[in-house]
Amino acid sequence: MMWFKYPLIILLIFIFALLQNSFLQYFSIMGATPNFVFIIFFILIFFEIQKRSNAGFFIAIVAGLLLDMFLPIYFGVSIITLLIIYFLEKELMHFLKDNKDQYPIKYFLFSFVLFLLMYSVFLYFFSTFLSFPFYFGWNVLVSVGYSIIFAWAGFHIYKKLAKNEGTSNQLKLFK
Amino acid sequence: MNVYIKKQNFIWQKITSRFLVVVFLLVFLNMFHLQVRDSFFYISSPISQRFLIAGSVTYNFFNAFIYIGDFKRENSNLKKENQNLLANSAFLQAIIKQNKALTEAVANTKDSNFTIAIANIMGLDLSNDLIFIDKGLEDGILENMPVISKEKVVYGKVVKSYATFSRVKLISAKENVLDVKVHNSDALKNPVHGVVKGIGNLSIYLDLVNSESEIKEGDVLLTSALEGTFPPNLLIGNIKSVIKNDANPFQQADVQQFFDIKNIDTLFVITNYRR
């Protein structure tokens, strides 16, 4: 039953990448739209069981590839950035992991905002060296705020779906 | 210890293999980046277009609610503007019609050397066969001036003139008498004279025609100028049927008048004919 997960993930990220670059453009705020691909990537790696880390690696590559597809640069910027974010997120979750079956939304949102901003910073960093247009200003903050709304909704939706599979990614800080 | 070393080796192998996969993938993608992008957009464009259409429709749907206040205001303004334009259009059309009527009237009366003043009907009193026109003393309209249409059809005469409007009695008014002649195609023959009397309700009839004179259905009646109010040869009507009685020394006739008060709004007052 596990085999269909990977094609399903590819399809899901593909659809949301197209939505982000077509449907959502009509609902931009100050030119910013939510980053659906990043949201799905982050939700999937956040709920990933620690022992099974291959899926996260795969998700980072697929999500990075689709993000790069719409950027006017060579492939690799988003792929590398998301892989870095993936490994950093794993380390962060390692410190916060607990065995209790609860998902503190605040840890999710905190790490989501942190890594989304990190992704924007990385893009800006690469844009200066690779000479592609990327405007880093209020639009980034608006995009983060806009994305939080959908990330919050995605978190609760996936939480309900993942609960049945018995996944456990308890977070507890300062026990 | 062996287990620990094996585990470390396994982790390094994993890291190395993943690193190589990423490097290989990036090299491959960037070598064929054009083909990769072309293929991706070729596959995704039908779906993307559907999403774009859906986005546009959804946006316009919500836009209607957000800007409904503006739409209402704009709609109200457009309605007012439309009404103003319709009013202006009607006004301009009336002027065009008036100008056209004046041109025709001038053309029709040029041989008669009439001076005419254009006037609009502003009221009707059909119970008394009266009409009101929008010209009066200030426009040089005096009592007993004839009123005709642009086709030289007689309507009546001015019976009372006020400052800015005048009252006109139609030829169909009760007890109105108008001297007429029957139009004869044969110019050498003596014209047949009679009088047109008004019976009210926009109706007239021909009377006091010599019983020996020949008149028939369809004959056209014209003014004869004998009584001095109307110039000669203005149109009155045509004979519908002849009423002849041996006991009566005169013959009569039903007349279909040419004036049509319900389908006209511009008349002309002859201002320079008075005897």
Side-chain angles (χ1 to χ4, degrees), chain A residues 65-80:
Chain A
L65 174 64
L66 282 165
L67 284 171
D68 279 338
M69 200 67 75
F70 294 97
L71 288 173
I73 46 168
Y74 288 102
F75 291 102
V77 171
S78 296
I79 294 172
I80 293 168

Side-chain angles (χ1 to χ4, degrees), chain B residues 97 121-132 149 153-155 170 172 200-203 256-267:
Chain B
K97 202 174 166 186
I121 298 172
M122 51 181 272
L124 298 172
D125 180 6
L126 298 180
S127 59
N128 294 309
D129 291 75
L130 289 170
I131 60 173
F132 298 89
S149 70
V153 172
V154 172
Y155 273 67
L170 299 173
S172 58
N201 202 23
L202 305 177
S203 301
Q256 176 60 55
Q257 70 279 13
F258 287 147
F259 74 82
D260 184 4
I261 205 67
K262 291 178 184 172
N263 286 310
I264 195 164
D265 46 22
T266 303
L267 291 173

